[in-house]
Amino acid sequence: MTDIHGIIAYPITPFTADGATVDTATLAAVVEQLVGTGAHAIAPLGSTGESAYLTEDEFDAVVDATVAVVDGRVPVIVGASDLTTANTIRRARYAQQAGADAVMVLPISYWKLGEREIFQHYASISAAVDLPIMVYNNPATSGIDMQPELLVRMFNDIDNVRMVKESTGDLNRMLRIKELSGGTLPFYNGSNPLVLDALLAGASGWCTAAPNLRPQPCLDLYDAVRRGDRARAQEIYDDLAPLLRFIVAGGLPTTVKAGLDLLGRNAGAPRPPLLPLDEAGRAELKGLLADA
């Protein structure tokens, strides 16, 4: 499996001025900046990338543009989640044929899924593609909470389930995954405010949209933890934390697009029902970026 570690950067999905379709030229520029400033992997089409609001043609366009720009310099992990198993498989297959290195799958369902159904969902995807699967646990957005015991069982029993992105913000979940798997199941932090504790606990990486706005401190934080310089890591985290809390609280597509605009790169508005950041929010975000 391709080595996936470090700062896994989540690009936004830019739209044209009328919101009608994906602005692939701006997307290419955003991805190039993330790679150029040192991200260790790129993960399009997650929550930040508004994947839930895209048509299938738009999804495919984002995959193609991202893989082309990255051009093998770092791994590409495509968020392939969808409401049905069948379309999740379609998306995963498209990612594979486009040249992605892995897929990330969040179980999404109108009806609450039981463990038997979750297991079968991932088993079906695994049987349909050869790519490693990052299981994404984020009950705040999916409404489905996968316990560490289930995550480790899927890792043991489903061939292509190779890693977990844990986004509950509960450090004990990560420690339990580590304990149950004997340290063999790589886990990645998806909760921005938890990043320092998660990396210190052994997370293989940090899945984050923050590098769109402040790439260097994200890289410096990861490097400080790897060097064992806890004091420096704490200093960097304390500086980053207000921005991390703000972008999460305001919704990542909304706040990151506003931040990019404030930094001189217009990526369009988020797609309704999401709305652009209001003026009070823009003023607060401008202050956070200026303080940096």
Side-chain angles (χ1 to χ4, degrees), residues 127-192:
V129 296
D130 298 323
L131 292 178
I133 298 169
M134 175 183 282
V135 178
Y136 179 16
N137 188 43
N138 189 358
T141 56
S142 70
I144 296 169
D145 188 3
M146 294 178 283
Q147 296 299 312
E149 289 77 7
L150 173 61
L151 296 170
V152 173
R153 181 160 67 90
M154 292 196 296
F155 171 66
N156 289 333
D157 295 347
I158 301 175
D159 287 343
N160 290 325
V161 169
R162 297 290 89 197
M163 47 195 157
V164 169
K165 176 186 173 185
E166 172 54 60
S167 297
T168 59
D170 181 356
L171 184 64
N172 289 327
R173 300 287 191 100
M174 299 183 187
L175 296 174
R176 183 65 172 155
I177 289 168
K178 188 175 181 179
E179 176 190 5
L180 289 170
S181 70
T184 60
L185 172 53
F187 60 91
Y188 300 77
N189 175 60
S191 171
N192 282 308

Side-chain angles (χ1 to χ4, degrees), residues 125-281:
I125 299 161
S126 175
V129 296
D130 298 323
L131 292 178
I133 298 169
M134 175 183 282
V135 178
Y136 179 16
N137 188 43
N138 189 358
T141 56
S142 70
I144 296 169
D145 188 3
M146 294 178 283
Q147 296 299 312
E149 289 77 7
L150 173 61
L151 296 170
V152 173
R153 181 160 67 90
M154 292 196 296
F155 171 66
N156 289 333
D157 295 347
I158 301 175
D159 287 343
N160 290 325
V161 169
R162 297 290 89 197
M163 47 195 157
V164 169
K165 176 186 173 185
E166 172 54 60
S167 297
T168 59
D170 181 356
L171 184 64
N172 289 327
R173 300 287 191 100
M174 299 183 187
L175 296 174
R176 183 65 172 155
I177 289 168
K178 188 175 181 179
E179 176 190 5
L180 289 170
S181 70
T184 60
L185 172 53
F187 60 91
Y188 300 77
N189 175 60
S191 171
N192 282 308
L194 188 68
V195 57
L196 179 55
D197 288 340
L199 290 174
L200 290 171
S204 296
W206 175 22
C207 304
T208 178
N212 287 281
L213 306 180
R214 293 196 64 196
Q216 196 58 51
C218 298
L219 296 165
D220 291 346
L221 175 59
Y222 177 70
D223 289 341
V225 172
R226 291 189 73 187
R227 293 195 313 270
D229 189 346
R230 186 163 185 164
R232 177 59 180 149
Q234 185 70 56
E235 180 183 10
I236 297 167
Y237 173 78
D238 290 343
D239 174 58
L240 265 177
L243 177 66
L244 298 180
R245 289 192 291 267
F246 180 89
I247 63 175
V248 171
L252 292 172
T254 295
T255 55
V256 174
K257 283 187 171 182
L260 285 170
D261 186 50
L262 290 167
L263 293 172
R265 188 180 300 284
N266 189 318
R271 182 162 278 176
L274 302 180
L275 292 174
L277 194 62
D278 61 23
E279 287 306 312

Side-chain angles (χ1 to χ4, degrees), residues 16-142:
T16 53
D18 60 3
T21 191
V22 174
D23 179 352
T24 53
T26 300
L27 173 63
V30 168
V31 172
E32 180 58 44
Q33 182 173 350
L34 290 170
V35 176
T37 52
H40 301 103
I42 302 295
L45 298 163
S47 304
T48 305
E50 299 180 66
S51 61
Y53 307 115
L54 302 182
T55 67
E56 293 309 294
D57 286 344
E58 289 172 334
F59 175 94
D60 295 351
V62 171
V63 173
D64 290 338
T66 304
V67 171
V69 171
V70 172
D71 194 25
R73 289 176 288 172
V74 296
V76 174
I77 310 160
V78 170
S81 312
D82 195 61
L83 193 65
T84 67
T85 300
N87 205 50
T88 303
I89 288 172
R90 191 213 72 81
R91 290 181 166 195
R93 283 175 169 162
Y94 193 88
Q96 178 171 290
Q97 66 91 27
D101 297 281
V103 291
M104 180 179 68
V105 177
L106 176 77
I108 309 169
S109 181
Y110 179 88
W111 295 104
K112 184 177 180 180
L113 302 180
E115 289 195 355
R116 182 172 63 95
E117 292 161 320
I118 295 168
F119 187 99
Q120 186 56 55
H121 180 63
Y122 283 98
S124 297
I125 299 161
S126 175
V129 296
D130 298 323
L131 292 178
I133 298 169
M134 175 183 282
V135 178
Y136 179 16
N137 188 43
N138 189 358
T141 56
S142 70

